[in-house]
Amino acid sequence: MKRAPHLSALIAAASLWATPAAAQRHDTNAPIDFAAENLELQDRANRAVLSGGVTIRQADLTLTAARVTVAYTGQVIGGSPQVSRLDASGGVTVVRPTQRARAQYGVYDLNKRVLTMLGDVSLIQGNNTLRGGRLSINLDTGRATLDGSTTGATGATSPAENGVERRQGRVTGRFTVPQR
């Protein structure tokens, strides 16, 4: 039986994100700290819009972007609204202790404990790089999947990064080999 050509890249993406340091469950109950140049509170819509060099930190996870919309429930506990979702755009970067992921857009669903990154995604650990169109990370299990979904034209290429040219619609990558 022949495997789908992208199956090995999916396995590799999962192994990049779920290394021993990252396999520890992310504390999605930890407080979320943020910094931004601007904050627009849209209280009737239960959301806040952060813009201008946004940095969001939760435990060992840091998200940076140009703009982040924070959706919260009407429920207030300890004087704070309960955040349910973060929608990020503009050069989104997510950093954990040994990995870095980049994309055009990102969605962190706190209720599902899933982080999804879309549009020219790169997942980097050390010298290993994977590129694709959509990355989904379950923060409870550490399982990551990367596919070739695109937000751009099919068949177009992106510039090489770390020597890896990305053909949109496919998952590509480069793994380093131990020197002997």
Side-chain angles (χ1 to χ4, degrees), residues 51-150:
S51 61
V54 180
T55 300
I56 294 184
R57 287 189 178 87
Q58 183 183 42
D60 66 352
L61 184 143
T62 301
L63 182 149
T64 58
R67 178 183 169 102
V68 176
T69 300
V70 180
Y72 54 90
T73 66
Q75 184 180 12
V76 176
I77 297 176
S80 298
Q82 299 304 293
V83 175
S84 59
R85 181 177 163 130
L86 304 172
D87 290 276
S89 62
V92 179
T93 301
V94 174
V95 177
R96 299 246 349 242
T98 60
Q99 297 94 10
R100 173 181 303 269
R102 294 185 194 150
Q104 295 170 349
Y105 307 99
V107 176
Y108 178 8
D109 185 326
L110 281 90
N111 295 326
K112 293 180 181 177
R113 294 174 167 85
V114 172
L115 178 64
T116 304
M117 300 183 74
L118 304 161
D120 199 22
V121 176
S122 65
L123 176 60
I124 302 166
Q125 178 181 349
N127 291 326
N128 300 315
T129 301
L130 296 176
R131 296 177 61 84
R134 182 176 187 267
L135 171 66
S136 180
I137 304 161
N138 181 313
L139 295 171
D140 279 344
T141 65
R143 182 172 185 216
T145 57
L146 181 65
D147 68 39
S149 300
T150 65

Side-chain angles (χ1 to χ4, degrees), residues 4-33:
H6 65 283
L7 182 60
S8 59
L10 289 173
I11 293 166
S15 67
L16 277 179
W17 198 267
T19 57
Q24 298 172 358
R25 180 181 166 151
H26 172 70
D27 185 2
T28 54
N29 292 318
I32 296 173
D33 297 314

